[in-house]
Amino acid sequence: MNKFLRYIGRRLALLILVLIGLSIITFTLARIVPSDPAAVYLGPRPRPEQIAEVRIKLGLDKPVYVQYAYYLRDLLHGDLGTSIRTHQPVLKSILRFLPASFELMLTAIILALIIGTLLGVTSAQKENTLIDHANRLFAVTGVSLPAFWLGLLFQLLFFRCLGILPLGGRIDIYVSLFSPIKHITGFYVIDSLITGNWVAFKSSILHLILPGITLAAYSTGIIMRMTRATMLEVNREDYIVAARAAGIPERTVVFKYALKNAMAPTLTTAGLAFASMLTATFFIETIFYWPGVGTYTVKSILLNDYPVIMAVTLVGALLYVLVNLVVDLVLVFLDPRIRL
Amino acid sequence: MKRLKKNFYRGGRLKEYRRSLHFFLKNPLTILGLAIVISLILISIFASQIAPYPEQGRGISSVKDRLLSPNYERLFGTDNLGRDILSRVIFGSRVSLKAAVVVILIVVVIGTPLGIIAGYFGGKIDEVIMRMSDMILAFPSLLLAIAIVAILGPSLMNAMIALSVPWWPWYTRLARSQTISLRERQFVEAARAVGVSNFKIMFRHILPNCLTPIIVQATLDMGYIILSLAGLGFLGLGTQPPTPDWGVMISKGRSFILNQWWFSTFPGVAIFITVLGFNLLGDGLAEALNPKRRK
């Protein structure tokens, strides 16, 4: 355990270095790449005296390393800048929209892990059969589909043609008017469940289905491929062959012995898939009118709201780094063979 | 004696290639991928000859024909400016392929030499290069690309630059690990003993031996880059109208999706088939060239 704590300590120290690196890159992008950050800050056609004023306000009259120190100080105080479009602190807006995005991403990653692992295991068990080929084709399709286009097709099919699922949003308008959800966690599904608000629960689940599946498609594909590949390897190992020879039921062998060891690469892949999921939410939230960070960011991109774009980039990278850290820690717990 | 050895060496290598080719051609999905990629290249080269309405493919609108549903004359229908969608999709392949190839070339040309240098010299140089690439890899790549293109301003050129920045470190890592495994091999040591310069060892002797995994990776990345370019186009950050671009077409057709389904659907099919082709081909190459993955 002591060793484990030391490992966490070392990883956290490394994390600080990575964070400094991230801040240097976003700082470079925000302050050095644009020819005049003050003009960027003010938007189109500013007056010269405005520019002068903003230059002092942003500290642009000081040397670069002083500017970076200011930037770092602001970040440490939770100041990610102010949106040009809404004049609101960016952090506040991000925090407001984050639960919606998390709910969507969590749904997608759970879907992807379950479906991807199951398909991967079945494929490995039935190697080179029709089922295997079908699963592999399914996986490569998931990896090749543009997410925003898949979302549009789903809307066309399930909303327009079949009329069984909503077009977008998090909840029906009349539901939110007549049986509003109490705000506890910010996750509509959980909040409506623990307050026993069944109408809202049903509505929020229905609204999650299409964006959830769309977002999960890519990750499902890569998780399936990774699971299949590792399961094929694990299946050839001695202890699995021995377990089979000893007559242990196939199900126990696969799910208890083999899958446990195949889980490590699968989880690592899921951590990496989180990166593409973060950006895919931009597209999918926009397509499904999902009021999350993605929609907020895309609106900001269209209006050149630089502080928001930079802040979201930094927060996204931070989340990504944290998720990968958590995955690594879980792996250490799962697999005692990993040397610390 | 020397000549004999050389022939022997060549024979071994040829045999290995032939075996790889055999594995490559045995897999029907790989053949499908190859067929898709080849037809794509042909379509983009002969776009002006194939497209039924080449001038509309390039962007000339014809408002009287707006939003026609697919029919015998307009197989994919027309868009909101009356342009033939089939022609736009055909011309779009040119834009996508060209841009993706340029991005791949940039990242390979920047990433590979850095990786070889890092792996060959080790020590401080290695440390600096690898920490730099770690920093960039800490960002989700498309997120960083979006941020960069948002700062530089939306255009196809900037989108290509923005995609290259988060991508080169993958090739640096790949080339570095290859170089480290090659560095202590006899042919490198022999070259060093004879007094061949470091530069020449790296780029005449090590580089050619790194190329196989890099080509495989580049093929797989082509698909992902095309997807990302379409994504940037969809957000309005990539190709600017009237140049035909699949992502932009889907984005423009989005407001028409419920009634004029063909507008967004066909450009999406084009992206899907293209990316699928590169993924299948890349998988097949990886399997054929990597003996470990063969059964």
Side-chain angles (χ1 to χ4, degrees):
Chain A
M1 205 56 213
N2 201 3
K3 240 182 175 178
F4 187 58
L5 285 179
R6 225 182 304 147
Y7 174 71
I8 295 183
R10 212 171 57 220
R11 285 298 304 260
L12 288 179
L14 210 67
L15 183 70
I16 291 171
L17 282 182
V18 172
L19 291 185
I20 293 175
L22 293 183
S23 68
I24 291 177
I25 291 178
T26 44
F27 172 76
T28 312
L29 281 177
R31 296 289 168 85
I32 298 174
V33 173
S35 50
D36 189 355
V40 165
Y41 183 83
L42 285 165
R45 267 174 268 147
R47 277 176 286 130
E49 60 267 28
Q50 275 180 316
I51 290 190
E53 200 180 301
V54 166
R55 285 187 72 85
I56 292 170
K57 191 178 153 201
L58 293 178
L60 293 173
D61 48 343
K62 307 223 164 45
V64 172
Y65 57 89
V66 178
Q67 289 184 41
Y68 175 67
Y70 282 154
Y71 177 74
L72 214 55
R73 183 198 63 193
D74 290 347
L75 286 185
L76 289 175
H77 285 93
D79 179 2
L80 294 180
T82 309
S83 159
I84 299 172
R85 176 167 59 100
T86 61
H87 297 287
Q88 296 268 326
V90 179
L91 185 67
K92 212 173 121 198
S93 306
I94 291 183
L95 288 179
R96 186 154 59 92
F97 291 120
L98 212 50
S101 297
F102 271 161
E103 187 174 37
L104 182 58
M105 279 194 258
L106 219 59
T107 311
I109 200 79
I110 292 172
L111 273 179
L113 269 175
I114 294 176
I115 302 174
T117 316
L118 280 179
L119 288 181
V121 170
T122 2
S123 255
Q125 290 308 108
K126 319 243 177 215
E127 198 191 348
N128 285 330
T129 61
L130 202 62
I131 298 179
D132 182 25
H133 292 314
N135 283 351
R136 293 176 78 180
L137 202 63
F138 180 81
V140 77
T141 305
V143 181
S144 308
L145 282 169
F148 46 93
W149 179 68
L150 184 64
L152 287 175
L153 287 192
F154 277 158
Q155 286 178 332
L156 188 63
L157 181 65
F158 292 99
F159 174 75
R160 177 70 213 271
C161 299
L162 301 174
I164 48 175
L165 286 172
L167 180 69
R170 281 183 90 185
I171 198 155
D172 275 331
I173 283 189
Y174 71 88
V175 174
S176 64
L177 284 178
F178 296 113
S179 40
I181 294 177
K182 231 201 216 152
H183 194 91
I184 303 169
T185 57
F187 286 27
Y188 279 10
V189 174
I190 296 176
D191 287 352
S192 58
L193 187 69
I194 51 182
T195 52
N197 186 347
W198 299 116
V199 190
F201 179 68
K202 192 185 152 202
S203 176
S204 49
I205 289 270
L206 284 179
H207 281 80
L208 256 179
I209 296 176
L210 289 187
I213 294 177
T214 316
L215 189 54
Y218 183 82
S219 313
T220 309
I222 55 177
I223 289 174
M224 180 272 169
R225 292 166 138 201
M226 189 43 92
T227 313
R228 179 181 179 276
T230 37
M231 278 300 278
L232 282 178
E233 258 172 50
V234 173
N235 265 338
R236 290 194 189 108
E237 280 191 36
D238 289 344
Y239 76 99
I240 293 295
V241 177
R244 287 221 173 90
I248 296 174
E250 184 64 20
R251 209 201 223 149
T252 320
V253 174
V254 171
F255 285 101
K256 206 168 158 199
Y257 298 146
L259 187 59
K260 207 168 159 194
N261 278 311
M263 250 354 241
T266 305
L267 279 181
T268 312
T269 312
L272 293 175
F274 182 74
S276 57
M277 208 173 251
L278 267 176
T279 357
T281 46
F282 286 22
F283 302 103
I284 287 160
E285 287 184 3
T286 307
I287 294 279
F288 288 102
Y289 310 101
W290 193 266
V293 181
T295 308
Y296 171 64
T297 315
V298 170
K299 265 186 204 151
S300 309
I301 291 173
L302 297 178
L303 294 164
N304 290 335
D305 196 342
Y306 296 92
V308 176
I309 301 168
M310 285 305 123
V312 170
T313 309
L314 193 64
V315 172
L318 178 67
L319 277 177
Y320 179 45
V321 173
L322 286 179
V323 164
N324 282 324
L325 178 67
V326 171
V327 167
D328 283 352
L329 294 181
V330 170
L331 288 186
V332 173
F333 255 134
L334 274 184
D335 191 346
R337 285 175 309 180
I338 295 177
R339 276 176 294 129
L340 295 179
Chain B
M1 187 64 198
K2 200 178 167 192
R3 204 164 152 193
L4 198 71
K5 236 182 190 162
K6 207 172 172 187
N7 282 341
F8 176 76
Y9 177 65
R10 270 201 185 144
R13 200 168 239 200
L14 246 178
K15 220 177 191 176
E16 184 51 39
Y17 276 132
R18 210 172 284 157
R19 191 175 297 158
S20 293
L21 192 68
H22 173 72
F23 274 96
F24 183 74
L25 293 175
K26 219 178 67 177
N27 187 343
L29 285 181
T30 313
I31 302 294
L32 178 66
L34 186 67
I36 292 175
V37 171
I38 290 178
S39 7
L40 208 79
I41 294 171
L42 290 178
I43 287 174
S44 63
I45 292 174
F46 296 107
S48 330
Q49 283 77 38
I50 299 171
Y53 299 88
E55 70 293 344
Q56 292 178 8
R58 288 198 190 87
I60 308 292
S61 46
S62 142
V63 184
K64 65 176 170 30
D65 301 320
R66 58 194 301 273
L67 295 172
L68 295 176
S69 59
N71 55 48
Y72 187 69
E73 213 161 289
R74 311 271 195 162
L75 286 176
F76 289 3
T78 61
D79 66 7
N80 58 336
L81 296 173
R83 295 172 296 199
D84 182 46
I85 290 180
L86 175 61
S87 308
R88 301 275 296 161
V89 167
I90 289 174
F91 273 88
S93 70
R94 231 181 223 188
V95 178
S96 278
L97 273 188
K98 234 194 256 168
V101 167
V102 171
V103 172
I104 292 284
L105 280 180
I106 295 176
V107 295
V108 169
V109 166
I110 293 177
T112 315
L114 280 175
I116 293 178
I117 290 171
Y120 186 76
F121 289 113
K124 279 237 171 66
I125 299 178
D126 183 27
E127 196 66 20
V128 169
I129 293 177
M130 289 329 280
R131 288 301 83 79
M132 223 161 64
S133 68
D134 281 351
M135 241 173 244
I136 287 178
L137 289 179
F139 283 93
S141 48
L142 189 54
L143 187 61
L144 185 57
I146 289 175
I148 295 174
V149 86
I151 291 289
L152 293 178
S155 77
L156 181 59
M157 188 63 196
N158 290 343
M160 294 192 300
I161 295 172
L163 279 175
S164 309
V165 174
W167 226 278
W168 62 265
W170 293 111
Y171 289 85
T172 306
R173 285 187 153 191
L174 200 62
R176 176 178 175 269
S177 65
Q178 288 286 317
T179 308
I180 288 178
S181 69
L182 291 168
R183 194 174 51 187
E184 312 299 334
R185 290 272 287 277
Q186 271 184 354
F187 72 93
V188 175
E189 264 174 31
R192 210 178 291 144
V194 190
V196 181
S197 71
N198 282 333
F199 184 83
K200 230 177 166 182
I201 293 179
M202 285 192 279
F203 295 102
R204 286 281 314 265
H205 299 282
I206 292 182
L207 179 67
N209 284 296
C210 293
L211 282 181
T212 309
I214 285 174
I215 290 170
V216 172
Q217 191 57 41
T219 315
L220 284 169
D221 280 352
M222 275 294 287
Y224 201 86
I225 299 273
I226 289 173
L227 266 187
S228 303
L229 278 167
L232 290 178
F234 181 80
L235 292 179
L237 294 173
T239 318
Q240 298 300 311
T243 310
D245 176 276
W246 294 336
V248 177
M249 290 170 79
I250 295 178
S251 149
K252 295 271 179 258
R254 191 187 151 212
S255 28
F256 300 90
I257 185 71
L258 296 180
N259 296 310
Q260 282 85 28
W261 58 270
W262 58 90
F263 193 161
S264 281
T265 304
F266 289 115
V269 173
I271 300 176
F272 169 57
I273 292 178
T274 307
V275 179
L276 188 72
F278 280 107
N279 279 336
L280 292 176
L281 181 64
D283 281 348
L285 278 177
E287 214 153 295
L289 293 170
N290 182 355
K292 264 196 224 146
R293 283 184 61 175
R294 279 182 215 149
K295 275 145 262 146

